[in-house]
Amino acid sequence: MDPMYKGLFFILIASIIGAFATLNFKKGSAEKISIYNKHLIKAVSLSVFSFTFYIYALQTAPLTFIYLTASISYIWTILLAKYALGEDINQFKKVGIFLIVFGIIVMNL
Amino acid sequence: MEDNTKGIVLALITTAIVSIAQILLKLGSEKFNITSVQGILSQFTNYHLIIGGFLYVGGAVLLIMAFRYGELSVVYPIMASSYIFVTLLSAKYLGEIITGPKVAGLIMIFIGVLFIGNSGKAGEKFVKTNQKKLSTKGDQ
């Protein structure tokens, strides 16, 4: 497989796992920070898993190029914020997310 | 309102730390190999990877604090400012070139982050939900 595609594949998996890790970090942040905080345990485990894929991705593609696929994680996270946490996604946030995701794509043209 | 501001400030500090970590991880990844015993042992002297990893973990702790004081849909997108930090750092320390599209993209990201940072001012509805959340937090 082309190293670039391999890198993209790894970062895609890393970002999916990472988005769920982020959700658990947010949930766990409202509770006391301890080794018994179930959400944080889940978040850290998912992060370690994501981190492994991330390192492999770094090995095969340039750092800035990797961010192209990582931009999808912003959409996933905003969807998780809305549907899993019930946060209000107003126009400002929508425009902001659009600019961020589009900006990341433009950056990598 | 005040609480989201605290989350935003913490998110920006986290972003700066994590960006430095990413440069170190990129440098360390060149020596990353866990397919042999010798390779695994050599990781103990892979200082870029070790320091980068520690900063990454430190960033995660700071991120939890940022999440505590701000909404996920505000704190997380603010961290997109890492693109600005990483691009500047990788130009300086990794010799990567800042092209025209990169400059254009970074400007868009910067404006996007500004939109997210000011999303709290977008209407009474948001403020009300936020105040409700603040009072619930206070009860805990």
Side-chain angles (χ1 to χ4, degrees):
Chain A
M1 209 198 288
D2 190 295
M4 208 65 125
Y5 289 118
K6 211 167 149 187
L8 280 176
F9 176 72
F10 282 134
I11 199 67
L12 188 69
I13 293 180
S15 69
I16 292 170
I17 301 168
F20 280 93
T22 305
L23 177 67
N24 280 286
F25 271 122
K26 171 63 185 169
K27 282 182 178 172
S29 73
E31 300 152 21
K32 196 184 162 201
I33 299 176
S34 80
I35 50 163
Y36 303 110
N37 187 327
K38 278 178 188 165
H39 285 120
L40 290 186
I41 293 170
K42 225 164 131 186
V44 170
S45 311
L46 287 168
S47 294
V48 170
F49 204 43
S50 169
F51 180 78
T52 311
F53 281 102
Y54 186 67
I55 292 291
Y56 275 114
L58 284 175
Q59 242 178 351
T60 45
L63 187 61
T64 40
F65 184 79
I66 281 172
Y67 283 108
L68 182 66
T69 322
S71 69
I72 306 165
S73 73
Y74 288 92
I75 298 169
W76 285 331
T77 306
I78 211 93
L79 288 174
L80 285 176
K82 187 178 181 181
Y83 295 106
L85 300 172
E87 287 184 9
D88 177 38
I89 309 301
N90 59 31
Q91 296 301 321
F92 273 67
K93 288 181 188 174
K94 283 177 191 164
V95 172
I97 290 290
F98 175 79
L99 282 169
I100 289 166
V101 173
F102 201 61
I104 295 164
I105 293 165
V106 169
M107 245 185 99
N108 291 282
L109 285 178
Chain B
M1 282 307 286
E2 203 188 318
D3 257 16
N4 243 336
T5 310
K6 212 168 162 182
I8 289 167
V9 171
L10 279 166
L12 285 172
I13 297 169
T14 308
T15 306
I17 291 172
V18 171
S19 300
I20 295 167
Q22 277 169 347
I23 298 298
L24 290 169
L25 290 176
K26 173 67 181 171
L27 290 168
S29 75
E30 286 158 19
K31 290 174 276 175
F32 189 67
N33 170 26
I34 50 166
T35 52
S36 68
V37 177
Q38 207 182 4
I40 292 168
L41 287 175
S42 74
Q43 296 313 308
F44 288 101
T45 54
N46 189 344
Y47 298 115
H48 286 127
L49 197 75
I50 293 167
I51 297 169
F54 269 111
L55 285 179
Y56 216 78
V57 173
V61 175
L62 269 172
L63 181 67
I64 296 168
M65 299 311 290
F67 278 152
R68 180 175 286 180
Y69 298 113
E71 288 182 302
L72 179 62
S73 57
V74 171
V75 168
Y76 191 73
I78 291 287
M79 291 190 70
S81 54
S82 69
Y83 290 93
I84 300 162
F85 289 114
V86 170
T87 306
L88 296 177
L89 288 172
S90 53
K92 189 163 166 56
Y93 296 103
L94 301 174
E96 289 183 14
I97 300 155
I98 303 179
T99 57
K102 268 187 195 168
V103 175
L106 287 180
I107 291 169
M108 291 177 79
I109 294 167
F110 184 71
I111 298 168
V113 169
L114 286 181
F115 262 93
I116 298 287
N118 290 292
S119 63
K121 290 167 188 165
E124 260 182 29
K125 195 188 162 197
F126 175 82
V127 178
K128 269 182 195 167
T129 9
N130 209 30
Q131 278 171 343
K132 218 182 274 172
K133 268 176 201 160
L134 288 184
S135 58
T136 344
K137 251 180 209 167
D139 293 338
Q140 282 171 353

